[in-house]
Amino acid sequence: MEVSDIKKVGVVGCGIMGGGIAEVAAAANYDVIIAEASQDLLDKGMRAIEASLALSVRRGKITDDVKTAALGRIRGTLDLKYFGDCELVIEAVTENLELKKKLFRELDGICRPDAILATNTSCLSIIDMAAQTSRTEQVLGLHFFNPVPAMKLLEIVKTIATGDETLRVARAFGESLGKAVVVAPDIPGFIVNRLLMPFFLEAIRLVESGQATREDIDRAVMLGLNHPMGPLKLADFVGLDTACFIAEAMYDEMKDDRFAPPVLLKKMVAAGRHGRKSKKGFYDYG
Ligand code: CAA
């Protein structure tokens, strides 16, 4: 398969990541079908895609015509049976390995034999998902970053079974979306989260020990390292529940203390302080 053969992209999950992926694919002229588990979630996700495209129009990034055309290329569904003619499917469902393995089994039965199946997981083992299919060489990770339309990077995650042709087509697909591509290994955290998680966790340990304030930590990183957000603000943005889940998954796999979530993070998650989405994390967003 060549990237020019990709006409229809399937996206499973219409949350922040799935919706963002659908949006950038449609804006790059691919036909997109996006699946959700319920009509409510699908409607909510489609409204978010429309709002994000409208924001891009207001910011002068795209014209109103491009927005209308992109929306016209995205079709929502509750049924994966419509994914049969997709050349590429990207799943972006909840970070649950058993759920993802089941989904890959299902997609393998539905999708055309030459279709590439990808996961947007940020930390789970991709070969475990690929092993559920009869096409391990056509399975890989396409790890996008939030907010998908704004972030330049796409991590392409190559398992020990991913074929060279799949990798080549995935790279060309990422570039066709305007993303810069890096190839990462199928190890816990790939490249970005391998570096980001110890950074987050060390910042949280500094707060936990009372040695520095959250404001000083974030200011230090923003002004001293030129990051757009400090680690605590960014952890709130990613979601403290998500960050804790990723760290725990990496710790479980590697038994390396650098990835062990600090007690403070676990307590904040237990208290429902999930960051920006719950309006409370290291900062208040009320
Ligand atoms: N959709 C589209 N474009 C957006 C956007 C959105 N939701 N939000 C911001 N942008 C664009 C703007 O159009 C603007 O583009 P230009 O510079 O070309 O004009 C640019 O991003 C900056 O936007 P603003 O000035 O309005 O806002 P800002 O300066 O506050 O930036 C931000 C917002 C882009 C989120 C910035 O703060 C940032 O980059 N933060 C870090 C985000 C990050 O690190 N994300 C990765 C998280 S890790 C992850 O996702 C993976 C994982 O597995 C955990």
Side-chain angles (χ1 to χ4, degrees), residues 65-207:
D65 287 352
V66 170
K67 175 196 149 194
T68 308
L71 280 173
R73 278 192 285 270
I74 305 176
R75 191 178 136 212
T77 181
L78 301 180
D79 199 333
L80 290 179
K81 74 176 180 217
Y82 299 112
F83 280 52
D85 57 349
C86 291
E87 290 85 12
L88 168 67
V89 176
I90 307 168
E91 75 76 19
V93 302
T94 314
E95 291 283 38
N96 175 321
L97 185 58
E98 289 315 310
L99 178 71
K100 287 181 190 277
K101 280 162 65 172
K102 182 167 166 284
L103 182 59
F104 269 84
R105 277 199 297 278
E106 218 175 325
L107 288 171
D108 190 45
I110 292 169
C111 295
R112 43 190 276 181
D114 60 347
I116 294 175
L117 304 182
T119 170
N120 180 58
T121 185
S122 39
C123 60
L124 299 173
S125 167
I126 297 172
I127 191 63
D128 283 39
M129 299 173 214
Q132 303 300 311
T133 73
S134 56
R135 56 180 98 193
T136 49
E137 72 290 352
Q138 286 158 238
V139 176
L140 82 178
L142 290 180
H143 184 213
F144 290 82
F145 294 83
N146 182 27
V148 180
M151 300 300 288
K152 277 302 274 177
L153 183 67
L154 172 64
E155 259 186 325
I156 294 190
V157 189
K158 180 186 185 308
T159 75
I160 53 167
T162 305
D164 289 344
E165 181 184 312
T166 303
L167 200 62
R168 186 170 49 74
V169 175
R171 180 187 282 278
F173 172 74
E175 287 167 355
S176 76
L177 304 182
K179 301 298 179 197
V181 168
V182 295
V183 177
D186 182 23
I187 55 170
F190 317 134
I191 294 176
V192 172
N193 281 331
R194 185 71 170 232
L195 300 170
L196 183 62
M197 287 304 136
F199 177 54
F200 275 179
L201 301 180
E202 204 55 32
I204 297 168
R205 286 183 199 110
L206 268 180
V207 175

Side-chain angles (χ1 to χ4, degrees), residues 208-286:
E208 189 175 48
S209 65
Q211 293 182 87
T213 65
R214 59 188 180 185
E215 290 84 2
D216 279 351
I217 293 167
D218 279 350
R219 263 168 73 81
V221 168
M222 286 176 73
L223 303 179
L225 297 173
N226 254 1
H227 288 204
M229 288 173 164
L232 300 166
K233 203 40 137 343
L234 184 58
D236 274 355
F237 181 73
V238 165
L240 299 185
D241 52 338
T242 304
C244 191
F245 178 85
I246 297 173
E248 254 161 6
M250 293 178 72
Y251 179 73
D252 282 351
E253 191 91 356
M254 294 187 289
K255 303 287 180 282
D256 179 334
D257 286 346
R258 284 177 302 163
F259 301 97
V263 172
L264 174 62
L265 177 60
K266 292 202 245 182
K267 298 283 182 198
M268 288 177 77
V269 173
R273 294 187 189 180
H274 293 176
R276 198 185 274 208
K277 63 186 157 191
S278 70
K279 304 215 178 331
K280 206 169 170 54
F282 286 100
Y283 296 90
D284 281 339
Y285 302 89

